Amino acid sequence: MPIKSSNLSYAHLFSGVDATVPLLDGSERKYISLDNAASTPALKTVQHAVNNFLTYYSSVHRGTGFKSQISTHAYENAREIVIQFVSADPETNVCIFVKNTTEAINKLARRFPFTNDRNIVLSSGMEHHSNDLPWRTNANTIHIGLTQDGQLDILDIEAKIEQYANQVALVAITGASNVTGYINPIHHLAECAHAVGAQIVVDCAQLAPHRKIDMLPPDNPKHFDYVAISGHKMYAPLGTGALIGRRDTFERGDPDLTGGGTVEIVTLDEVVWADPPDREEAGSPNTVGAVALAAAIKQLEALGMDNVAQHEADLTAYALIKLAEVPGLKIFGDKNPKNANERLGVIPLKIDTIPHFLVAAILGYEFGIGVRSGCFCAHPYILHLLELTSSEAEAVRDTMLAGDKSDMPGLVRASFGLYNTFEDIDALVEALHKISKGDYTGEYVQDDSTGEFTPKGWQPIYDDYFSLSVLE
């Protein structure tokens, strides 16, 4: 298998990727962000679209002025672009703009037509909390099992669907894990759900920036009923996501938020709700965020999602090969670089005897590399991957609830974006080699209440890099 098989570089398409940051030794270094599963930097096309739009920014819907009309046009055009991006049928589906995937799934959980007969949601043990906790609040949630290495247990979900067939209302599953990068067989799961009269929602927060999403026509048994995406994970960090799903779900009942923009008419005695999506978007919307999300989608489509996936697969394969050479380092999930095309570029790892919080701190303070450490809003999944027993997990829980997170279980996560390069991976691997040998200079102090480490006696001056008190 060739190493560094791709010579493509997309870094020139992004804003801020050449920024330098201060290091503990007093020097500065170009920042390397390997925390893309959390949030991504902005594409330059997004920045340009937003800057151009701000000239005409105004209120949307019902305004008679030109700026209001052009803002409404841009907002509704953005909605059309999102629908096309996920190949949704605009006649039977609606796009509702929200802040992020978390809000999208919470909205669906409150608006889904559960009944006394059908009130079970099948979720999984690998879900981000955003696709788990809302269902626990609004339905009877049953979790699908996992294999030892953290993949979805397909036999278990098929068995549970058969076991609870007439009671299952919804299958709520992630398109790809934000911890291990595993991609789930979501169209197969959709077919299983529909076979028993249930629906499916796919959390595409992780999948959408890296793979083509195809909801399929509603008469196809493999179609998705609902999809949720987040702009801040798709190189559009201006606070907009989208819930795309069945129009008939949102035509019935009351909206979960009420107020301006949600109604056709109001009297002192009566309220007539507007048709969706308006009834689901209370108050003045984030028009700028919608424009940003649409601009990011147009850029990704211009590049081609297959090209996006291949570039990131090349990075992942290379990283898995090089990381395996670091003494004492363990990779969780699929370690085989030959499978890089079948997963996302999300790699969870740990170094023996060195706390995950400390590894992440040293990478940031001494090497200018941004990663994430902890449980990544997927606590049950991390406990499974670390193979903690029930008693061990309970002991950790009690300690954390007592205010001590110093020994909180967790991992370090490196996650790749379209702008990352092989050189970024080389820098990460070199730093991890040094950390594994204890070759770092700082004396680090841990805050037991958060578990995080900071270098003793040193603090960067953030106002030297950005300050709201200095306006140019």
Side-chain angles (χ1 to χ4, degrees), residues 76 78-80 82-84 86-98 104 107-108 111 215 224-229 241-252 274-281:
E76 295 305 331
R79 199 190 306 277
E80 295 170 359
V82 172
I83 288 176
Q84 293 168 5
V86 297
S87 299
D89 176 5
E91 295 299 318
T92 58
N93 288 280
V94 62
C95 170
I96 301 166
F97 284 124
V98 290
K107 175 179 282 292
L108 181 60
R111 296 287 282 116
M215 290 187 70
F224 305 147
D225 296 284
Y226 313 92
V227 159
I229 63 175
L243 171 63
I244 308 98
R246 294 176 52 143
R247 184 179 294 274
D248 59 355
T249 294
F250 302 101
E251 287 177 332
R252 61 170 70 95
D275 291 332
D278 289 348
R279 78 161 69 182
E280 302 298 332
E281 294 180 354

Side-chain angles (χ1 to χ4, degrees), residues 120-297:
I120 289 178
V121 172
L122 294 181
S123 187
S124 86
M126 67 161 52
E127 301 304 312
H128 189 284
H129 295 162
S130 298
N131 197 31
D132 181 3
L133 303 186
W135 305 117
R136 297 193 197 188
T137 303
N138 293 276
N140 180 10
T141 304
I142 297 174
H143 293 94
I144 303 155
L146 305 171
T147 63
Q148 185 175 4
D149 64 350
Q151 296 186 69
L152 193 67
D153 187 335
I154 303 301
L155 294 178
D156 187 55
I157 189 171
E158 291 175 346
K160 283 187 167 67
I161 286 176
E162 182 177 356
Q163 178 184 356
Y164 299 105
N166 295 328
Q167 300 170 270
V168 178
L170 188 70
V171 173
I173 201 75
T174 184
S177 168
N178 72 312
V179 178
T180 55
Y182 283 128
I183 297 177
N184 287 322
I186 44 183
H187 284 293
H188 171 67
L189 299 180
E191 187 173 28
C192 293
H194 295 138
V196 297
Q199 299 180 32
I200 186 170
V201 56
V202 183
D203 174 357
C204 288
Q206 294 298 324
L207 193 61
H210 311 283
R211 295 291 192 279
K212 170 63 180 170
I213 308 298
D214 189 350
M215 290 187 70
L216 296 178
D219 59 353
N220 188 319
K222 296 183 178 181
H223 77 273
F224 305 147
D225 296 284
Y226 313 92
V227 159
I229 63 175
S230 283
H232 74 99
K233 297 185 190 292
M234 299 175 61
Y235 314 110
L238 280 102
T240 288
L243 171 63
I244 308 98
R246 294 176 52 143
R247 184 179 294 274
D248 59 355
T249 294
F250 302 101
E251 287 177 332
R252 61 170 70 95
D254 297 340
D256 60 328
L257 293 177
T258 61
T262 63
V263 300
E264 286 292 343
I265 189 170
V266 176
T267 70
L268 293 180
D269 302 311
E270 183 184 21
V271 176
V272 179
W273 302 115
D275 291 332
D278 289 348
R279 78 161 69 182
E280 302 298 332
E281 294 180 354
S284 296
N286 182 0
T287 311
V288 177
V291 167
L293 175 58
I297 286 173

Side-chain angles (χ1 to χ4, degrees), residues 43 45-50 78 81 234-236 289-301:
L43 281 156
T45 52
V46 171
Q47 186 177 19
H48 294 159
V50 168
I81 289 170
M234 299 175 61
Y235 314 110
V291 167
L293 175 58
I297 286 173
K298 298 296 286 185
Q299 177 69 88
L300 288 171
E301 290 179 330

Side-chain angles (χ1 to χ4, degrees), residues 56-77:
Y56 299 99
Y57 170 73
S58 185
S59 61
V60 298
H61 302 150
R62 296 173 300 282
T64 59
F66 178 77
K67 286 190 176 184
S68 180
Q69 292 176 1
I70 198 171
S71 292
T72 299
H73 171 75
Y75 186 66
E76 295 305 331
N77 185 218

